Amino acid sequence: MAPPIALPETFARAVAGLRSVTPREEIVLEEVGAPQRLAPYAFALSATVLRDQDEVADGRLILLHDPAGHDAWQGTLRLVTYVTAELEVDLAADPLLPGVGWTWLTDALEAYEARYRAAGGTVTQTVSTRFGELAGPPAAGDVEIRASWTPLGDDLAAHLSAWCALLASTAGLPPPGVTALSERRPAGAA
């Protein structure tokens, strides 16, 4: 039996911070295999966002660590994410969606006081129309957010909380504790 591999303290603390967060009930997190060629150390989480038992968004968050540092990262840790959700066609076609999608990330990082630098990414919106054998709903829309940033410090709990907020925003979930009017039951209903 091989002895356990000692992880760098910075990476171990960062992973512990990610594992310490319990997301809101609509978000299901799972540890998954991380890409091994991007950095000497990597850890990954997958998320599924459910609304009324339907999957409405999903994503992946990858923690990369290079003890030697990386010039483009401006540090030794890097968080990389991919989040995608189906949208109503009129929302997916809105020319303001990319800017709004980016602020979902930056506002969440700010709201959770998850300090960072060197953020970059893309927001892609698509509208698809099906034809022939793929006929189905007349059109479908999607938003995809790909981003990365360098966390300042190695306690990443706030960064995971912010990422969960990004997932919730992308999925169109109301803030925690807020019930959408369409979800309210009429007075006297059981």
Side-chain angles (χ1 to χ4, degrees):
M1 183 181 222
I5 298 172
L7 296 175
E9 274 187 54
T10 297
F11 182 71
R13 277 194 302 272
V15 170
L18 293 174
R19 287 178 170 155
S20 72
V21 174
T22 301
R24 60 191 284 177
E25 66 182 24
E26 300 95 338
I27 299 174
V28 179
L29 293 179
E30 177 183 4
E31 291 184 24
V32 294
Q36 297 302 307
R37 292 200 233 174
L38 300 176
Y41 301 93
F43 175 80
L45 292 168
S46 174
T48 302
V49 183
L50 302 171
R51 184 174 43 225
D52 300 325
Q53 302 307 309
D54 292 327
E55 184 177 319
V56 293
D58 59 48
R60 184 172 286 224
L61 181 69
I62 302 167
L63 167 64
L64 303 174
H65 176 58
D66 186 342
H70 197 288
D71 289 341
W73 299 355
Q74 300 177 26
T76 63
L77 294 172
R78 189 76 172 166
L79 288 166
V80 179
T81 189
Y82 167 82
V83 172
T84 186
E86 289 185 29
L87 297 175
E88 294 176 17
V89 173
D90 59 332
L91 290 175
D94 189 328
L96 299 176
L97 179 63
V100 170
W102 186 252
T103 61
W104 288 336
L105 172 64
T106 58
D107 287 355
L109 290 167
E110 186 175 312
Y112 284 91
E113 298 180 5
R115 295 178 43 237
Y116 68 95
R117 69 172 151 238
T122 62
V123 177
T124 305
Q125 61 196 104
T126 59
V127 175
S128 301
T129 304
R130 297 180 176 116
F131 297 95
E133 296 297 317
L134 294 177
D142 295 291
V143 63
E144 173 187 287
I145 300 169
R146 293 178 183 262
S148 64
W149 65 96
T150 299
L152 301 179
D154 56 16
D155 181 354
L156 301 188
H159 290 268
L160 184 58
S161 294
W163 184 66
C164 288
L166 168 65
L167 285 162
S169 294
T170 305
L173 297 180
V178 174
T179 303
L181 290 175
S182 62
E183 295 176 20
R184 286 188 167 178
R185 292 189 178 139

